[in-house]
Amino acid sequence: MPRSNPSTVPVSAPPVEPVPRLHRLRSPWAALLVWGLTRLWLVPAALKLPPLDGDGTLDPSVDRVYRGWFEVLSGGAFPAHDVSWQYPPGAALPILAPGALPGLDYGLAFIVTAAVTDALVMAGLLWLVVRRGRSVAAPWLWTVALAVLSTVPWNRFDLQVTAVAMAALAVAASRRAWADRAFGALVALGALVKVWPVLLLAGTERGRRTRQAWIAAAVAGVVLLAGFALAMPHALSFLTAQKSRGIQIESVGALPFHVARHLGWSGTWKAKDGSHEFVGPGVETVSLVMQGLTVLALGWLVYWRLRSERSAPWMLPDAALTAVLLFVVTSRVISPQYLIWLVGLGAVCLLRRETSQRPVVFLILAACLFTTLGFPLLYRELRDDADPLAIANLFVRNGLLLVAAGLSAVRLWRAGRVGR
């Protein structure tokens, strides 16, 4: 037999070291570290503790509005005669919750409850990453996007209702016997705090899972609503509170009026119904158009449900994000805190690597940056001066949300057609 030539024996190449920067970003503990560092600044900033921001005077939403609601609610009634109270009765829960913290001023206690909610959400996301093998992109989004939104998340109760919605979607993903009923009950609870979580029902799977979730949501909603109505007067005042809403100056419908102000439009803005809205020629017409677009969006969601395959576990959070995005861009109001809803739903979508909404989430993250530039940094210039830079920033932010909504719907439609 011929002898082998040692010179022809292949020599293995030395191992290639992994790229450290990408490898580290895949670690959930890196996300936790960044989360901790950002919150060490953001929570004291929300409290306006020196030297970060002034003399400790809290955001007016907490210090005056929420504190006033707390005093009325503590007396056993809803603040029905306050034009800024336009929420379902469940909103009383996050407003009253700070009162359970003894020895703390209401404003401080409110921000503490928001910070605890933020921590619980982050803990839940990390648990799903470590114990269930979900994507680390979810806690990274939650960490970065809320930091980009600055102190707004800790000065509003949208963080709490978003946590309920995220918990509902996480429960539904377990597919246990009780999961659909628990999902429906949590949706009902969230909807009684702010109405939008009811849109989470849009993506429920056909058959038994839809029946159980929808029936549980209906039963829990009726029971909770009846309990509030029997326990406290004016619990149902929110049903008529939204009728008089106009076009809030940060909404998509406000864009033509910002331009019209430079072209001699005779209208102006006014503090109305707890926000700053445009009043003047054409506003009522645009308001009706926006309401019509909301109806069309809901009609599209119904059509999508009839034509789509929704058995994949990632379809439920994907559909929830699409539904809420469509609601936001067609709403007469887009407040900065609405981005918290989108970030929370986007984080749940990113838990699944198969999600159809990954590029949509990046658009939402970009919109968070321009939202913070618009409020609080350029808000006065937008409202009082019709400053071109402030208007351009609003056009970019709302444009990103419009593109995100359209892309989200297209990708959800395509994902729902797979296998049909």
Side-chain angles (χ1 to χ4, degrees):
M1 294 180 61
R3 296 180 181 180
S4 61
N5 187 354
S7 62
T8 64
V9 176
V11 178
S12 60
V16 178
E17 293 293 331
V19 180
R21 56 188 178 89
L22 294 178
H23 179 72
R24 290 168 186 169
L25 288 178
R26 295 192 187 103
S27 169
W29 311 121
L32 178 61
L33 175 62
V34 176
W35 176 88
L37 292 175
T38 55
R39 273 45 175 187
L40 282 175
W41 174 77
L42 287 165
V43 175
L47 292 168
K48 294 194 174 181
L49 297 178
L52 291 176
D53 193 357
D55 57 0
T57 303
L58 299 180
D59 186 283
S61 294
V62 176
D63 205 32
R64 293 200 292 268
V65 179
Y66 294 173
R67 190 188 299 272
W69 292 348
F70 174 79
E71 293 172 356
V72 176
L73 290 166
S74 298
F78 285 93
H81 302 295
D82 186 339
V83 295
S84 60
W85 177 266
Q86 302 188 0
Y87 305 104
L93 299 176
I95 299 300
L96 289 171
L101 299 180
L104 292 180
D105 173 75
Y106 178 81
L108 172 61
F110 182 89
I111 293 173
V112 168
T113 59
V116 170
T117 303
D118 172 34
L120 290 174
V121 170
M122 186 63 178
L125 292 173
L126 290 173
W127 186 86
L128 289 170
V129 170
V130 174
R131 300 298 297 273
R132 295 288 184 263
R134 301 293 184 239
S135 172
V136 75
W140 271 116
L141 175 68
W142 182 259
T143 296
V144 174
L146 258 65
V148 171
L149 288 172
S150 188
T151 59
V152 167
W154 293 269
N155 286 318
R156 305 292 188 273
F157 64 89
D158 296 81
L159 197 59
Q160 289 86 330
V161 68
T162 300
V164 174
M166 295 173 72
L169 293 172
V171 165
S174 71
R175 291 183 175 266
R176 295 181 180 177
W178 49 266
D180 295 319
R181 292 186 290 271
F183 165 73
L186 286 170
V187 167
L189 175 61
L192 281 180
V193 179
K194 281 199 167 183
V195 177
W196 67 265
V198 73
L199 295 170
L200 272 60
L201 295 170
T204 51
E205 189 178 340
R206 295 175 183 271
R208 177 186 58 83
R209 301 202 70 187
T210 284
R211 289 193 298 272
Q212 290 191 348
W214 286 44
I215 291 172
V219 171
V222 169
V223 170
L224 291 171
L225 193 61
F228 278 113
L230 292 173
M232 302 170 69
H234 310 301
L236 303 181
S237 62
F238 75 100
L239 294 174
T240 58
Q242 293 288 332
K243 288 184 178 180
S244 62
R245 293 304 295 261
I247 298 295
Q248 188 249 5
I249 66 171
E250 294 173 276
S251 66
V252 172
L255 296 178
F257 297 110
H258 284 293
V259 176
R261 293 170 78 182
H262 287 277
L263 301 176
W265 180 60
S266 60
T268 185
W269 67 270
K270 181 180 179 182
K272 184 173 176 285
D273 298 323
S275 66
H276 297 131
E277 301 178 359
F278 279 124
V279 292
V283 172
E284 185 175 350
T285 300
V286 173
S287 178
L288 291 174
V289 169
M290 299 305 293
Q291 293 176 71
L293 290 174
T294 299
V295 173
L296 288 176
L298 292 174
W300 181 87
L301 285 170
V302 172
Y303 182 70
W304 172 80
R305 278 188 60 86
L306 295 174
R307 300 296 299 273
S308 65
E309 170 58 50
R310 302 184 301 278
S311 59
W314 44 267
M315 288 295 287
L316 181 63
D318 282 17
L321 180 60
T322 301
V324 175
L325 260 171
L326 292 173
F327 168 80
V328 166
V329 299
T330 61
S331 174
R332 291 170 290 174
V333 177
I334 301 183
S335 297
Q337 57 266 31
Y338 287 18
L339 274 294
I340 303 171
W341 315 347
L342 302 177
V343 168
L345 297 178
V348 178
C349 290
L350 289 184
L351 284 169
R352 297 277 183 175
R353 294 174 176 84
E354 308 91 340
T355 179
S356 65
Q357 300 296 302
R358 191 174 301 275
V360 176
V361 171
F362 287 111
L363 290 172
I364 292 170
L365 180 58
C368 288
L369 174 61
F370 290 96
T371 296
T372 301
L373 291 175
F375 181 89
L377 298 179
L378 295 173
Y379 189 75
R380 190 177 299 276
E381 288 80 359
L382 178 73
R383 183 191 64 187
D384 299 337
D385 305 326
D387 180 72
L389 178 60
I391 294 173
N393 180 78
L394 183 65
F395 266 84
V396 173
R397 195 283 301 270
N398 286 353
L400 286 168
L401 291 178
L402 284 168
V403 172
L407 181 63
S408 179
V410 169
R411 293 182 68 86
L412 183 71
W413 176 267
R414 291 174 178 173
R417 299 298 297 169
V418 174
R420 287 186 62 81

